[in-house]
Amino acid sequence: MLRIAICAPGKPILRDRAAAVEALAAEEFPDVDLRFHPQCFAEAGHFAGDDATRLAAFLDCANDPAVDAVWFAMGGYGANRIAREAVARLGEAARGKTFLGYSDTGTLLGALYRSGMGRPVHGPLAGDVRRDGGADAVRRVLHYLSDGRTGLEPSIGGRPVAAFNLMTLAMLVGTEFMPDLAGHVVMVEEVAEHLYAVDRLMFHVTENLRGIAGLRMGRVSAVPDNDRPFGADEVAIARYWCERTGIPYLGRADIGHDAANKIVPFGLAGHAAAT
Amino acid sequence: MLRIAICAPGKPILRDRAAAVEALAAEEFPDVDLRFHPQCFAEAGHFAGDDATRLAAFLDCANDPAVDAVWFAMGGYGANRIAREAVARLGEAARGKTFLGYSDTGTLLGALYRSGMGRPVHGPLAGDVRRDGGADAVRRVLHYLSDGRTGLEPSIGGRPVAAFNLMTLAMLVGTEFMPDLAGHVVMVEEVAEHLYAVDRLMFHVTENLRGIAGLRMGRVSAVPDNDRPFGADEVAIARYWCERTGIPYLGRADIGHDAANKIVPFGLAGHAAAT
């Protein structure tokens, strides 16, 4: 039996989405015991409960020795407000545990990776069940958590990797939660940002990531209309800033704010499985 | 005769706005010779001309010995793409010159301050003439450039200061253009960002500005409606992140994306005038 605990470090998940994930797991994954922490449905202003509530739920899941993996319900915003205490108060039970999510929860993945606690993995959120094809995103996560090797981002090879939402990474660099990504292939993706903002974020991120092995650009989706075209797409933007900062641009990554978002275990964790 | 050269490092200015600034200067400031560089009206995708065009115009203005001050026409986005060459190719004529603007052009102010070239000043753009009360913003700049002491942000006192748009500063930290702001009072302002994004930016900026003398929060205007209230205003947000990072929060700053935006000369440049 694989026991998965779900919490929401940023915004809450709607009950019908949680029910859809539970139904799919019960139907297709009889060896998975999947539990949404009640905090997933809490509301406090922007957040799924106040900072103390979200922190306590994360620690409930992370420090429970009966739990094999912690899965994040939703992104939104708010993981950075609890990341310091979240990592500082992890116990032995968290050491070998998988933590899986993306978007805003990438802040926690980064902080965990920096601390050496747990196994951070970039992949679909439980709430992604709502997307077109979202059931497949949920299946991908449950298969990966079951066998540790399916659904991996296809470029994963012999070098350590990490993946982030571009805005989340841009806000992470230089902070107390930023892991050392020297020698890593870093994958980024973005949603609902103007291309000029993507350009600005890529300036900031490449300037702060000198020394990485290379960068891969995931999907940039739901770009809002602007009063004028930017004049370059996300690949041209990535190439431009990588060239200026001496970072090898390695091509596309199969990640994004969509149901096709593939699994990226941080470091070398996915490599034995991929080879 | 005070000669002011105007260029546009980011987006172009509309001709009627430039005409309004010229008319005001001709009517009220007979000792000011104000010239819009033709590049101010160029268009290339998002930008006021491509990178080479914007860079050349900046250098035309900055390196002209007959020019006393360089004023930026508009913000938008794009100063970061020319800042490296813009600073590297400054000549002796630029050394004592004032460079005045804000918003996206804060990247150039920061890069100039880091390099020790010129006198960077945070204040209204020429294009602010379009705002309610915009004529007063233009008058404030022309008075300040004429006498070097009127229109200053009122909290300026005995310590070095700097001011930035919050997003611009967030993208500047950790880059090759970031000046050393240790010991400075740093003022920030923002426009058209959700409060959760302001919170996220303040996390990033305070984490990257440990060692400054203090932070002042300017106006945060035109906040878009969100699907739920954030639950804290910009002052509570500033206090929260300042406390977490040990930065003294010093109160409000009289700066913002509006016509009341006061003048902030970087460093100690405004202090002799203010005392």
Side-chain angles (χ1 to χ4, degrees), chain A residues 20-252:
Chain A
V21 172
E22 285 174 328
L24 187 153
E27 173 83 13
E28 302 181 26
F29 294 83
D31 293 336
V32 167
D33 173 20
L34 180 147
R35 298 189 190 179
F36 282 87
H37 193 289
Q39 173 269 326
C40 291
F41 312 105
E43 291 195 49
H46 187 82
F47 304 109
D50 63 16
D51 292 355
T53 301
R54 302 198 314 287
L55 173 63
F58 173 84
L59 293 170
D60 283 349
C61 299
N63 288 332
D64 183 343
V67 166
D68 300 297
V70 178
W71 190 15
F72 298 127
M74 291 293 287
Y77 169 67
N80 59 345
R81 296 174 68 106
I82 64 169
R84 188 188 287 175
E85 288 295 303
V87 170
R89 291 165 60 181
L90 287 178
E92 275 305 305
R95 188 166 294 279
K97 199 165 290 186
T98 296
F99 295 83
L100 194 149
Y102 78 120
S103 195
D104 180 66
T105 68
T107 305
L108 277 169
L109 301 183
L112 288 163
Y113 195 51
R114 177 185 175 121
S115 76
M117 293 291 284
R119 303 169 179 271
V121 178
H122 189 274
L125 299 158
D128 283 330
V129 72
R130 79 185 184 283
R131 299 186 185 277
D132 277 351
D136 283 342
V138 169
R139 288 184 189 103
R140 188 177 312 117
V141 168
L142 297 181
H143 279 302
Y144 172 77
L145 291 177
S146 299
D147 69 12
R149 60 192 175 79
T150 56
L152 296 177
E153 201 283 335
S155 75
I156 293 175
R159 288 184 289 195
V161 295
F164 292 95
N165 169 258
L166 179 57
M167 176 67 82
T168 302
L169 179 58
M171 298 295 101
L172 186 64
V173 297
T175 73
E176 64 194 276
F177 309 127
M178 180 66 190
D180 181 3
L181 297 180
H184 285 60
V185 174
V186 178
M187 309 181 198
V188 294
E189 59 80 33
E190 193 49 278
V191 64
E193 294 285 349
H194 289 289
L195 286 177
Y196 73 79
V198 171
D199 199 74
R200 190 166 60 185
L201 290 166
M202 285 299 296
F203 154 65
H204 185 59
V205 161
T206 55
E207 284 270 345
N208 278 277
L209 286 183
R210 293 166 196 265
I212 65 171
L215 185 138
R216 287 184 174 274
M217 180 56 88
R219 288 179 287 281
V220 174
S221 58
V223 176
D225 284 334
N226 203 358
D227 55 352
R228 67 190 77 193
F230 180 68
D233 66 12
E234 66 269 26
V235 170
I237 289 169
R239 287 185 184 281
Y240 176 87
W241 291 109
C242 282
E243 186 178 333
R244 282 186 52 137
T245 51
I247 295 174
Y249 176 68
L250 303 176
R252 302 308 299 254

Side-chain angles (χ1 to χ4, degrees), chain A residues 11-12 43-48 51 76-77 80-84 104 107 165 167-177 193 195-197 199-201 203-204 207-208 210 226-231 237 240-241 244-245, chain B residues 11-12 43-48 51 76-77 80-84 104 107 165 167-177 193 195-197 199-201 203-204 207-208 210 226-231 237 240-241 244-245:
Chain A
K11 72 177 177 183
E43 291 195 49
H46 187 82
F47 304 109
D51 292 355
Y77 169 67
N80 59 345
R81 296 174 68 106
I82 64 169
R84 188 188 287 175
D104 180 66
T107 305
N165 169 258
M167 176 67 82
T168 302
L169 179 58
M171 298 295 101
L172 186 64
V173 297
T175 73
E176 64 194 276
F177 309 127
E193 294 285 349
L195 286 177
Y196 73 79
D199 199 74
R200 190 166 60 185
L201 290 166
F203 154 65
H204 185 59
E207 284 270 345
N208 278 277
R210 293 166 196 265
N226 203 358
D227 55 352
R228 67 190 77 193
F230 180 68
I237 289 169
Y240 176 87
W241 291 109
R244 282 186 52 137
T245 51
Chain B
K11 71 177 178 182
E43 291 194 49
H46 186 83
F47 305 108
D51 292 353
Y77 170 68
N80 59 345
R81 296 174 68 106
I82 64 169
R84 188 188 287 175
D104 180 67
T107 305
N165 169 258
M167 176 65 83
T168 303
L169 179 58
M171 297 295 102
L172 186 63
V173 296
T175 73
E176 64 194 275
F177 308 127
E193 294 284 350
L195 286 178
Y196 73 80
D199 198 75
R200 191 166 59 185
L201 291 166
F203 155 66
H204 185 59
E207 284 270 345
N208 278 276
R210 293 166 196 264
N226 204 0
D227 55 354
R228 67 190 80 192
F230 179 68
I237 289 168
Y240 176 87
W241 291 109
R244 282 186 52 135
T245 50

Side-chain angles (χ1 to χ4, degrees), chain B residues 165-233:
Chain B
N165 169 258
L166 179 58
M167 176 65 83
T168 303
L169 179 58
M171 297 295 102
L172 186 63
V173 296
T175 73
E176 64 194 275
F177 308 127
M178 180 66 191
D180 180 2
L181 297 180
H184 286 61
V185 174
V186 178
M187 308 180 199
V188 296
E189 59 80 34
E190 192 49 276
V191 64
E193 294 284 350
H194 289 288
L195 286 178
Y196 73 80
V198 172
D199 198 75
R200 191 166 59 185
L201 291 166
M202 285 300 296
F203 155 66
H204 185 59
V205 161
T206 55
E207 284 270 345
N208 278 276
L209 286 184
R210 293 166 196 264
I212 64 172
L215 185 136
R216 286 183 175 274
M217 180 56 88
R219 288 178 288 281
V220 173
S221 58
V223 175
D225 284 333
N226 204 0
D227 55 354
R228 67 190 80 192
F230 179 68
D233 66 12

Side-chain angles (χ1 to χ4, degrees), chain B residues 3-269:
Chain B
R3 191 154 161 214
I4 303 172
I6 304 177
C7 63
K11 71 177 178 182
I13 190 170
L14 296 175
R15 286 192 184 272
D16 63 334
R17 294 177 191 171
V21 172
E22 286 173 328
L24 187 153
E27 173 84 11
E28 302 181 26
F29 294 83
D31 293 335
V32 167
D33 173 19
L34 180 146
R35 298 189 190 178
F36 282 86
H37 194 289
Q39 173 269 327
C40 291
F41 312 105
E43 291 194 49
H46 186 83
F47 305 108
D50 63 16
D51 292 353
T53 301
R54 303 197 315 286
L55 173 64
F58 173 84
L59 293 170
D60 283 350
C61 300
N63 288 332
D64 183 343
V67 166
D68 300 296
V70 179
W71 191 16
F72 298 127
M74 291 293 287
Y77 170 68
N80 59 345
R81 296 174 68 106
I82 64 169
R84 188 188 287 175
E85 288 295 304
V87 170
R89 291 164 60 181
L90 288 178
E92 274 306 306
R95 189 165 295 278
K97 199 165 290 187
T98 295
F99 294 82
L100 195 149
Y102 78 120
S103 194
D104 180 67
T105 68
T107 305
L108 277 169
L109 301 183
L112 288 163
Y113 195 51
R114 176 183 175 123
S115 76
M117 293 291 284
R119 302 170 181 270
V121 178
H122 189 274
L125 299 157
D128 283 329
V129 73
R130 80 185 185 283
R131 298 185 186 277
D132 277 350
D136 283 342
V138 170
R139 288 184 189 103
R140 188 177 311 120
V141 168
L142 298 182
H143 281 300
Y144 172 78
L145 292 177
S146 298
D147 68 12
R149 59 191 174 80
T150 57
L152 296 177
E153 200 283 333
S155 75
I156 293 175
R159 288 184 289 194
V161 295
F164 292 94
N165 169 258
L166 179 58
M167 176 65 83
T168 303
L169 179 58
M171 297 295 102
L172 186 63
V173 296
T175 73
E176 64 194 275
F177 308 127
M178 180 66 191
D180 180 2
L181 297 180
H184 286 61
V185 174
V186 178
M187 308 180 199
V188 296
E189 59 80 34
E190 192 49 276
V191 64
E193 294 284 350
H194 289 288
L195 286 178
Y196 73 80
V198 172
D199 198 75
R200 191 166 59 185
L201 291 166
M202 285 300 296
F203 155 66
H204 185 59
V205 161
T206 55
E207 284 270 345
N208 278 276
L209 286 184
R210 293 166 196 264
I212 64 172
L215 185 136
R216 286 183 175 274
M217 180 56 88
R219 288 178 288 281
V220 173
S221 58
V223 175
D225 284 333
N226 204 0
D227 55 354
R228 67 190 80 192
F230 179 68
D233 66 12
E234 66 270 26
V235 170
I237 289 168
R239 287 186 184 279
Y240 176 87
W241 291 109
C242 282
E243 185 179 335
R244 282 186 52 135
T245 50
I247 295 173
Y249 176 68
L250 303 176
R252 302 307 299 253
D254 189 6
I255 63 170
H257 263 71
D258 52 46
N261 188 26
K262 298 301 189 299
I263 308 275
V264 182
F266 279 37
L268 288 162

